[in-house]
Amino acid sequence: MKRKSQNIVNITLISILLTLLVAVLYYLPENFNFLGIPKLLRKVENLSLSIRFNFTAQSKSDIESGTLKSKAPKGFYKNFYLLLLDNATVEKFGSIKFSYEKWEEILNYLNSLDYPPKLIWFDLLLKDKQNIENLKKSLKKNKNIGQSFFLEILDNPQEIAKNIQAYNSETANILKRFEIPLKNVKIPEYIKINSSFLELFANFQLVGAGNIEKTDDLHSKLPLFTKVKYYIKENGNLKFTNIFYPSSALVAVTKILDSDIKNIEIKKNKVIIKDATYNGKKLDFVIPTDKNYFININYKGKNKSGFLRTMPLKDSTRASFVKNSIIFFGIDIEGITENQWYSPVGNLTSVEHLAYSIGTILNRDFIYETPVFINIIYLI
């Protein structure tokens, strides 16, 4: 009996030691990537995350099989509409290039409704340089229209030299009104800025970075702020500076809450939108974050699941929308994958990532990460 008890104690001790070893290896910083074990453990965690989300996320097959009963959009999701440049739209107009005249027609229609949208957001870029004058006027006069720009990290010195911009460049000047006074935050440093044709971009009243961060190969974190590196020439010397900008989701949420980007207050592990209107009440709207101002996105459905209300762009001028609607323009065309990022529920287009990011914040549907010591205690 003594020997059996001793064996149980030994097995228990070995289990605890192995658990502690796994925990230590998992939480090692990436620069201590001993034999690739921490990275492997994080991939296992991402796989676990995907499995958990896929058990709860709505899918197209759920709808078609009739097994879905309780996944109707709730809260602010009821006001979301994704108007997509999709295959049906391309087939109707004969080109992936959507004319500016057509964009102007859609914007005029939306803003002439009895209840104009609370927000209209372009999660796509407008690159053409022809016939822009009327669209410029439409963008300038409507305060409820915003657009994403997208950032890239570059490692190759030649690519960095080719794409890094001066802090007095046209792009930097356009973005100056959206700068955030932030310092000493460990977030990715971006070099390349992808935006619409600058003459159009300058006329959007709201702009933000549309990036979603990834851990290994899984995109699931929304950075509320992004960091861009610029160069400055002073007295013949070259210097570098980092400038912070808000994410598209943060700018959009601020607008939806009838506040202003100037009213954003940054505290430890939280971002506060002051003087906000939420559910009819004036308050300071608090967004809980991690130490680097990231939030975990709470995905509710897979691509084309029906959880997010979608509509071909070609039908947008015949549609009706609820009061205080939130309109997203995006791209979802078969064969185009540049704007598709792998999430815990599979591939999603950038506009779907954006919608779920905003939905997570507005519905206060946050996913909280437990402290390291709690996780270790739980493992033991």
Side-chain angles (χ1 to χ4, degrees):
M1 180 67 76
K2 256 186 177 182
R3 188 171 180 179
K4 188 175 180 182
S5 298
Q6 186 61 43
N7 286 340
I8 292 172
V9 170
N10 291 340
I11 290 170
T12 302
L13 286 172
I14 290 170
S15 298
I16 291 173
L17 288 171
L18 285 173
T19 301
L20 287 172
L21 177 62
V22 169
V24 169
L25 288 172
Y26 178 84
Y27 288 108
L28 274 176
E30 290 190 10
N31 52 328
F32 291 97
N33 193 15
F34 180 67
L35 297 178
I37 294 175
K39 189 172 183 179
L40 175 63
L41 292 173
R42 289 187 180 95
K43 284 191 174 182
V44 171
E45 169 62 16
N46 282 343
L47 176 61
S48 168
L49 184 66
S50 293
I51 291 171
R52 280 176 276 157
F53 266 107
N54 275 285
F55 267 116
T56 59
Q58 176 172 307
S59 69
K60 188 177 180 181
S61 60
D62 289 331
I63 299 169
E64 291 172 347
S65 65
T67 59
L68 192 67
K69 293 182 179 178
S70 60
K71 292 282 184 166
K74 296 178 181 179
F76 280 84
Y77 284 115
K78 293 178 181 177
N79 296 55
F80 287 12
Y81 295 84
L82 275 59
L83 306 187
L84 301 175
L85 181 55
D86 59 1
N87 290 78
T89 302
V90 171
E91 185 177 341
K92 177 176 179 178
F93 293 102
S95 173
I96 194 173
K97 289 186 177 181
F98 210 58
S99 73
Y100 289 156
E101 289 82 1
K102 193 64 183 175
W103 279 120
E104 186 193 357
E105 179 186 338
I106 293 171
L107 293 177
N108 288 340
Y109 171 77
L110 292 173
N111 279 317
S112 67
L113 294 171
D114 290 339
Y115 298 109
K118 186 84 172 178
L119 176 75
I120 300 170
W121 196 275
F122 282 77
D123 196 61
L124 48 78
L125 302 182
L126 305 172
K127 291 288 192 179
D128 286 351
K129 302 178 182 180
Q130 306 296 323
N131 304 316
I132 67 172
E133 290 306 318
N134 288 335
L135 183 56
K136 275 172 55 179
K137 292 175 184 176
S138 184
L139 295 174
K140 196 167 186 175
K141 74 179 181 180
N142 292 301
K143 308 298 184 184
N144 64 336
I145 303 176
Q147 187 182 49
S148 298
F149 59 91
F150 298 92
L151 303 168
E152 292 182 42
I153 295 173
L154 301 176
D155 297 317
N156 184 299
Q158 291 180 326
E159 286 297 309
I160 292 174
K162 179 181 176 183
N163 288 284
I164 192 169
Q165 296 197 37
Y167 187 49
N168 62 354
S169 66
E170 187 177 356
T171 303
N173 286 329
I174 290 171
L175 292 174
K176 267 188 171 58
R177 58 198 166 118
F178 297 99
E179 290 180 7
I180 299 291
L182 197 59
K183 293 181 180 179
N184 303 322
V185 179
K186 294 181 180 179
I187 59 177
E189 185 178 83
Y190 290 98
I191 300 293
K192 187 175 181 180
I193 304 172
N194 297 305
S195 71
S196 289
F197 176 48
L198 292 180
E199 198 173 337
L200 271 179
F201 189 50
N203 287 278
F204 279 92
Q205 302 302 301
L206 307 163
V207 299
N211 293 62
I212 302 296
E213 292 301 329
K214 66 178 181 178
T215 304
D216 295 319
D217 296 322
L218 197 66
H219 292 79
S220 62
K221 287 183 176 289
L222 168 70
L224 291 184
F225 307 105
T226 53
K227 179 169 63 176
V228 177
K229 187 174 186 177
Y230 293 99
Y231 72 84
I232 300 173
K233 283 185 178 180
E234 288 183 355
N235 302 320
N237 296 318
L238 198 63
K239 297 180 180 180
F240 297 96
T241 186
N242 289 318
I243 302 298
F244 292 85
Y245 300 110
S247 67
S248 295
L250 182 57
V251 175
V253 166
T254 302
K255 174 62 178 176
I256 293 165
L257 297 180
D258 292 322
S259 190
D260 189 274
I261 203 74
K262 296 174 184 176
N263 294 335
I264 289 177
E265 186 175 333
I266 303 168
K267 299 285 187 180
K268 183 179 179 181
N269 294 97
K270 61 183 176 183
V271 173
I272 304 168
I273 303 173
K274 302 185 76 65
D275 196 30
T277 303
Y278 185 70
N279 290 335
K281 296 180 180 179
K282 276 288 183 184
L283 47 72
D284 291 343
F285 187 88
V286 180
I287 305 172
T289 71
D290 67 11
K291 63 181 180 180
N292 294 317
Y293 304 104
F294 283 66
I295 68 167
N296 293 295
I297 303 169
N298 198 341
Y299 295 96
K300 299 296 184 180
K302 303 176 184 180
N303 178 248
K304 298 178 182 176
S305 68
F307 185 85
L308 294 172
R309 190 188 285 110
T310 63
M311 181 187 306
L313 201 54
K314 68 181 181 68
D315 298 331
S316 55
T317 53
R318 300 199 305 267
S320 59
F321 303 93
V322 299
K323 186 179 180 180
N324 293 324
S325 60
I326 299 163
I327 308 292
F328 301 92
F329 292 131
I331 298 175
D332 191 358
I333 297 176
E334 291 178 18
I336 294 181
T337 59
E338 291 87 349
N339 71 323
Q340 293 186 8
W341 305 324
Y342 195 74
S343 78
V345 295
N347 268 343
L348 292 177
T349 59
S350 62
V351 72
E352 290 173 299
H353 282 280
L354 176 61
Y356 283 124
S357 299
I358 294 172
T360 298
I361 297 172
L362 289 175
N363 286 335
R364 307 204 60 76
D365 203 7
F366 301 109
I367 299 173
Y368 295 94
E369 293 186 0
T370 53
V372 173
F373 74 92
I374 295 293
N375 288 338
I376 293 174
I377 292 170
Y378 178 75
L379 285 170
I380 293 173

